[in-house]
Amino acid sequence: MIKCPFSFSRFSKFPLLFSLAFSQFGCTELRGTGDLGVIIEREPAAIQIINTSTNNSISKISGLGDLSHASIVYSRDARYAFIFGRDGGLTKIDLLQDKIAKRIIQAGNSIGGAISQDGKLIAVSNYTPGGVKIFSTETLELIADIPALYDSQQLSKVVGLVDAPDQKFIFSLFDAGEIWIADLKDPTQPKIEKFKNIGKQPYDALLSPDGRYYIAGLFGDRGLALLDLWSPEQGVKRILPDYGKNDEKMPVYKMPHLEGWAMAGNLMFVPAVGQHEVLVVDQNTWQLVKRIPVIGQPVFVMARPDGRQIWVNFAFPDNAQVQVIDAKELQIVKALTPGKAVLHMEFTPRGEHVWVSARDDNQVLIYDTSSFKEISRLPANKPSGIFFSSRAHKMGL
Amino acid sequence: MIKCPFSFSRFSKFPLLFSLAFSQFGCTELRGTGDLGVIIEREPAAIQIINTSTNNSISKISGLGDLSHASIVYSRDARYAFIFGRDGGLTKIDLLQDKIAKRIIQAGNSIGGAISQDGKLIAVSNYTPGGVKIFSTETLELIADIPALYDSQQLSKVVGLVDAPDQKFIFSLFDAGEIWIADLKDPTQPKIEKFKNIGKQPYDALLSPDGRYYIAGLFGDRGLALLDLWSPEQGVKRILPDYGKNDEKMPVYKMPHLEGWAMAGNLMFVPAVGQHEVLVVDQNTWQLVKRIPVIGQPVFVMARPDGRQIWVNFAFPDNAQVQVIDAKELQIVKALTPGKAVLHMEFTPRGEHVWVSARDDNQVLIYDTSSFKEISRLPANKPSGIFFSSRAHKMGL
């Protein structure tokens, strides 16, 4: 234990200075970091640090740039949140001191990021300039730059970036139709393995919770691109050949998020593209086993941590609603109406509660997942993503 | 943020008093709790608080009674560790202040405990008097007492206590041959569901990581007792009918720990009782699919968090060794010799390292699971269990 390392006598006549030093050396409320989280407020851009034990907001922090499509990862001690802004901003938030620890603008336009297995590296995937940059989690200094070069020295937008076991990052090149594995065991010398011709325009991807399967959605092709990281020598396979690419033209904003796909036991629950269905896929065979009708076009399809319930939110005009699928019966058991423009859902680590953001009601609602009763609600300005610190210990987020 | 709530001027002439207040109000090194853990030292009884980012010991705490068979659960903020001692002691440790927050002797002889899904209740399973007691995590006050009554008012020893989704605890009655589900939604009025005639002398149990299957080992019968919590109306079934109860008499200390069984994908890896084998079971059919020969009688069979590796330690006289099974090839890929009397292993949350206690070498060794290289080692007095704070977010531990 380190006691505040300054002399008391020296400061006794200077209360203000003393107070500053006090704050500097952590003389704040003691706070475990296991039950903390962050709510993204889009407009005006800010975050709230929240506590999932007391269901309270702890503090609000602004000065984070454009948060219209922001995502978050956590340091392995769950003390720091790293926020990836759409404007290329990368901000390190200290959850114990409720302040920005460090902030940089790392690119012109970024889409998301990940943290390495050992917690020492942050990777950010960028549209402009297309590629992946690797930063130190400690200092946010640039460690490595991986331009997404293809063909005659063109740069591709990079999407679907995830961390994977053995200190790897995996991502997809939208313009090139490629999946790359970057091995960062030597952080300054990333080793890249490339998989080409995986399908047209991968637009997002997910890693299965066990870190084994990387699955990319294809905007320009039917089906999904599957890479089994236990057998990379087998290359990328196409699964669910009827999936996606509707015959009608669809605006991109209706493409479902892939990180929200649910794995429960052997089953994967997948939002159908442009249709009012959740697809149930057998993870052993990658075959479709059931189509579950839902109220609208699904966006996030998320499993409660025990896999028993699958919660689904929807695209406009059905985005005031949430439906819950029972994973045993494979049918809807509950419908809720949390509020206008439900954008995101996050389960508490052991699944007793779920937090739901209703953007146009300026509310975050907290439900008991057992009784489906609303427990509490917090005001928030145009809330979108909700991210709890237990993500620190998970792969592929 | 709460600033230290005392007047500076008042204390300026009393450095000692000041220092005490300082400590009281948390003027310590700021510390995220996501990368903390506890090592149990058996002799002399104490714990070490450790950090898995720096691979260091932070502090040592004694005065915890008999720790010869102790286990630990964590509060949902990962700030507090609750230690269950074999002597009936229940101790709440503050990981931020490196001290005992509260300690009680709750029974004469206890075997383990669990924390409720909502984090508000601690359950302890006791041999003497046989039953389960429920305490407040906040105050350690007794909330409910569940005597394990059976037949003509006899009390059974209770084993295999786990927490489960929907605010439940599940446990087995050794003497009665029963499994009970206790629903603690109303903490002062537990609702008990009993399953009788599940087999003779259940001696330990596990919950699958998704919280669905409760499996009890039977000391007095062959096979294992399986309860599917998604279908409790189907009752308890016997699986793996050839499992356990060797023909020769075996001392109890060779019965493998069930909480250490590994679930990886669809496969469960199970230590054979009294034989030099790890059994591989298909979780869809509960059929044995392979027997993997190992160097000795397996004790803990533990999956790396991504399920790719299965680490196995052994009973005397092979307890200086550890073997690693590859979950894809279903064969041993590595053998290590960490030291004398390897008792326990704990993976870092995302699996890059594993900590191994070698009791009779007075060492805890840290290995990189990718290269199998030893990274560091810490001195410890007869170390046994190692428990990391990421357990706060898991079910069934």
Side-chain angles (χ1 to χ4, degrees), chain B residues 96-162:
Chain B
L96 291 181
Q97 298 194 90
D98 304 287
K99 68 178 190 186
I100 295 172
K102 185 95 182 170
R103 174 170 163 79
I104 62 171
I105 301 295
Q106 59 82 33
N109 189 329
S110 88
I111 186 68
I115 185 165
S116 63
Q117 185 183 32
D118 70 358
K120 292 180 181 165
L121 305 173
I122 288 282
V124 190
S125 59
N126 291 318
Y127 277 4
T128 318
V132 170
K133 288 185 180 172
I134 309 289
F135 298 91
S136 156
T137 47
E138 182 69 26
T139 62
L140 297 192
E141 283 172 329
L142 186 69
I143 304 271
D145 192 355
I146 307 173
L149 283 172
Y150 72 105
D151 286 350
S152 49
Q153 302 301 302
Q154 287 190 284
L155 285 174
S156 171
K157 293 188 189 76
V158 173
V159 299
L161 171 67
V162 299

Side-chain angles (χ1 to χ4, degrees), chain A residues 2 4 22 29 33-34 52-53 76-77 115-117 163 210 230 266 284 306 328 350 352 393-394, chain B residues 2 4 22 29 33-34 52-53 76-77 115-117 163 210 230 266 284 306 328 350 352 393-394:
Chain A
I2 299 173
C4 293
F22 225 51
E29 173 200 28
T33 51
T52 67
S53 295
R76 75 191 298 290
D77 62 357
I115 185 164
S116 63
Q117 184 182 33
D163 62 278
D210 62 3
W230 288 18
N266 299 327
N284 294 319
D306 67 343
K328 179 187 171 196
R350 297 209 278 166
E352 73 277 19
H393 301 143
K394 291 186 179 166
Chain B
I2 299 172
C4 293
F22 224 54
E29 173 199 29
T33 52
T52 66
S53 295
R76 75 191 298 291
D77 62 358
I115 185 165
S116 63
Q117 185 183 32
D163 62 280
D210 61 2
W230 289 19
N266 300 326
N284 295 320
D306 67 343
K328 179 188 170 195
R350 296 210 278 165
E352 72 277 19
H393 301 142
K394 291 185 179 167

Side-chain angles (χ1 to χ4, degrees), chain B residues 129-313:
Chain B
V132 170
K133 288 185 180 172
I134 309 289
F135 298 91
S136 156
T137 47
E138 182 69 26
T139 62
L140 297 192
E141 283 172 329
L142 186 69
I143 304 271
D145 192 355
I146 307 173
L149 283 172
Y150 72 105
D151 286 350
S152 49
Q153 302 301 302
Q154 287 190 284
L155 285 174
S156 171
K157 293 188 189 76
V158 173
V159 299
L161 171 67
V162 299
D163 62 280
D166 293 332
Q167 195 68 0
K168 289 173 180 166
F169 291 111
I170 310 179
F171 47 91
S172 296
L173 278 62
F174 178 85
D175 305 296
E178 298 183 5
I179 293 172
W180 290 12
I181 301 176
D183 181 332
L184 271 292
K185 284 199 196 70
D186 178 350
T188 59
Q189 300 287 335
K191 279 188 218 160
I192 310 289
E193 186 176 6
K194 299 178 185 180
F195 298 85
K196 301 193 175 185
N197 303 312
I198 61 106
K200 286 180 195 158
Q201 296 175 313
Y203 72 94
D204 196 4
L206 68 84
L207 191 76
S208 59
D210 61 2
R212 176 168 179 178
Y213 298 107
Y214 181 82
I215 302 173
L218 301 170
F219 188 65
D221 260 325
R222 282 188 176 273
L224 298 161
L226 169 74
L227 178 58
D228 179 355
L229 300 173
W230 289 19
S231 303
E233 74 286 353
Q234 295 182 4
V236 174
K237 295 176 187 170
R238 193 73 60 89
I239 58 168
L240 292 182
D242 295 328
Y243 185 77
K245 197 159 169 55
N246 217 298
D247 291 330
E248 308 102 282
K249 290 271 182 195
M250 283 181 306
V252 180
Y253 68 83
K254 287 187 184 171
M255 296 301 280
H257 279 276
L258 272 76
E259 285 196 28
W261 293 15
M263 301 275 193
N266 300 326
L267 299 177
M268 183 166 74
F269 294 80
V270 180
V273 176
Q275 289 163 14
H276 292 201
E277 285 176 349
V278 168
L279 310 179
V280 186
V281 177
D282 183 328
Q283 204 190 305
N284 295 320
T285 62
W286 301 106
Q287 299 295 310
L288 184 69
V289 293
K290 186 164 182 180
R291 297 168 179 274
I292 300 174
V294 288
I295 195 78
Q297 291 187 15
V299 177
F300 279 104
V301 173
M302 307 189 78
R304 198 172 70 169
D306 67 343
R308 180 62 193 268
Q309 294 177 354
I310 313 295
W311 288 58
V312 187
N313 74 334

